[in-house]
């Protein structure tokens, strides 16, 4: 693709950002739809200054990643209701110098789940109570899922459960409950510690839907064990691609080429 003065620039701001798969995913999407855009990664320590650059340079939109998802909210002109409820922004759009924030993480998780199962009325365990759990939890709650937050530290787990008006249980209690859907939102099982999983194997029951939002490796130990136990499994790439599809559609107004984006991420992995 030829870049010229009509090319729209998009970015990801994070620290670190070198491992991000967003550039490969969005650039393939721009290419395949013929949209004149380019997406670049910037290692950013000061998010306020990065947003000044967005306005100064006319960058059309950006993904915001660790550790800036909460702090960035202070410097935006507006944020949509989902982002406000979650308390974090991972997507911004620049409309004539006005910056509006969104959160596509939870929407991506709901899309990934909905491809394989119904959410409404299901008993859903969310393991973890960090930023991703918060985004996933709020969006699942909106879809009518019955959530239990399960977390290592009680304080953080109880706080998220309170915000979601759901129950909290410590990790050790997981064997005492029955769930239709189990979602790991902790980094447990991520490269290089691929031999560990967030719960013991005996708590994975046939017929459950098990989703892991970790996508490196693609097949985590949790997903491998769940598959062997006869569960439906959903990997973290599905959520990642669907949250990226939301960003693409917000920025371009064009339907996202989800399969192209997924292939780009799989090849990069
Ligand atoms: P975070 O805010 O740091 O939260 C991490 C959570 O995991 C905390 O609740 C923490 O429990 C728990 N945890 C961490 N290590 C643990 C361990 N060894 N045993 C048990 N619990 C542990 O992180 P985050 O931003 O939510 O991200 C979590 C993961 O999601 C990362 O791997 C990230 O790459 C992934 N992610 C994927 C996508 C996607 O699109 N697929 C999107 C966003 C994030 P405590 O409260 O006890 O500390």
């Amino acid at each position: 693709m030829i870049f010229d003065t009509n090319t729209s620039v998009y970015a990801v701001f994070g620290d670190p950002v070198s491992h991000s798969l967003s550039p490969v995913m969005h650039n393939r999407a721009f290419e395949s739809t013929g949209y004149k855009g380019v997406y670049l990664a910037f290692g950013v320590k000061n998010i306020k200054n990065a947003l000044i650059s967005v306005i100064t340079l006319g960058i059309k939109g950006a993904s915001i990643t660790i550790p800036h998802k909460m702090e960035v909210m202070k410097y935006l002109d507006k944020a949509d209701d989902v982002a406000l409820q979650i308390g974090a922004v991972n997507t911004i759009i620049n409309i004539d110098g006005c910056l509006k924030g969104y959160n596509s993480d939870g929407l991506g998780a709901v899309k990934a789940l909905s491809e394989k199962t119904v959410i409404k009325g299901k008993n859903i365990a969310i393991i973890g109570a960090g930023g991703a759990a918060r985004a996933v939890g709020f969006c699942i709650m909106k879809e009518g899922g019955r959530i239990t937050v399960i977390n290592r530290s009680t304080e953080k787990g109880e706080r998220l459960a309170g915000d979601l008006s759901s129950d909290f249980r410590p990790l050790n209690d997981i064997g005492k409950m029955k769930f239709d859907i189990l979602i790991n939102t902790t980094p447990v099982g991520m490269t290089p510690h691929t031999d560990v999983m967030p719960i013991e194997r005996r708590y994975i029951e046939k017929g459950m839907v098990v989703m892991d939002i970790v996508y490196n490796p693609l097949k985590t130990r949790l997903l491998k064990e769940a598959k062997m136990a006869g569960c439906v499994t959903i990997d973290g790439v599905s959520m990642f691609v669907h949250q990226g599809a939301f960003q693409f559609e917000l920025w371009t107004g064009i339907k996202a080429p989800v399969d192209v984006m997924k292939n780009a991420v799989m090849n990069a992995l």
Side-chain angles (χ1 to χ4, degrees):
M1 190 178 277
I2 309 278
F3 303 128
D4 60 25
T5 51
N6 293 318
T7 302
S8 297
V9 179
Y10 297 86
V12 53
F13 298 141
D15 181 32
V17 85
S18 55
H19 63 285
S20 174
L21 295 171
S22 291
V24 84
M25 176 172 73
H26 282 298
N27 284 318
R28 275 294 290 123
F30 291 154
E31 190 181 45
S32 96
T33 55
Y35 181 81
K36 284 194 80 151
V38 64
Y39 184 107
L40 303 167
F42 295 96
V44 159
K45 297 234 182 280
N46 185 321
I47 193 66
K48 185 180 178 189
N49 285 349
L51 292 196
I52 293 169
S53 308
V54 166
I55 305 281
T56 310
L57 302 176
I59 291 173
K60 293 280 170 55
S63 310
I64 308 296
T65 189
I66 286 171
H68 304 306
K69 287 184 187 183
M70 287 196 276
E71 196 201 341
V72 74
M73 295 186 81
K74 286 195 280 189
Y75 309 116
L76 299 173
D77 299 298
K78 290 188 221 166
D80 91 326
D81 288 347
V82 177
L84 286 172
Q85 228 180 355
I86 294 166
V89 156
N90 78 334
T91 307
I92 59 170
I93 185 165
N94 174 7
I95 301 170
D96 301 327
C98 174
L99 300 185
K100 182 166 181 186
Y102 294 81
N103 194 311
S104 66
D105 279 334
L107 302 171
V110 162
K111 272 261 183 190
L113 270 170
S114 303
E115 284 178 345
K116 299 274 180 93
T117 188
V118 171
I119 294 172
K120 195 173 168 61
K122 296 283 177 68
N123 287 320
I124 304 177
I126 295 184
I127 305 174
R134 184 164 282 274
V136 171
F138 272 108
C139 290
I140 284 180
M141 187 180 70
K142 281 192 167 203
E143 295 296 311
R146 289 203 293 262
I147 298 169
T148 302
V149 175
I150 296 174
N151 195 49
R152 180 178 61 180
S153 76
T154 304
E155 193 196 335
K156 223 163 144 184
E158 280 184 339
R159 196 182 323 135
L160 178 58
D163 291 347
L164 294 174
S165 306
S166 67
D167 292 333
F168 165 75
R169 292 293 188 99
L171 254 178
N172 293 340
D173 275 8
I174 192 152
K176 298 178 188 163
M177 292 164 287
K178 289 257 180 264
F179 295 107
D180 305 305
I181 302 173
L182 184 139
I183 306 170
N184 175 43
T185 72
T186 77
V188 177
M190 210 165 118
T191 303
H193 306 293
T194 54
D195 56 336
V196 289
M197 52 197 273
I199 58 166
E200 287 179 41
R201 179 194 300 183
R202 63 194 161 117
Y203 300 133
I204 302 173
E205 286 179 26
K206 187 176 174 173
M208 279 166 72
V209 174
V210 177
M211 172 161 152
D212 200 334
I213 76 162
V214 168
Y215 57 78
N216 190 4
L218 184 61
K219 298 289 170 218
T220 58
R221 168 109 189 266
L222 174 68
L223 292 187
K224 286 183 192 162
E225 299 282 2
K227 189 101 201 156
M228 280 194 285
C231 301
V232 172
T233 60
I234 306 169
D235 61 52
V237 164
S238 299
M239 168 176 164
F240 180 72
V241 168
H242 283 299
Q243 67 78 32
F246 171 89
Q247 296 180 321
F248 181 89
E249 290 176 3
L250 176 76
W251 293 333
T252 66
I254 300 170
K255 188 159 174 41
V258 173
D259 291 343
V260 169
M261 293 165 83
K262 189 159 194 170
N263 280 340
V265 173
M266 297 290 234
N267 287 338
L269 277 172

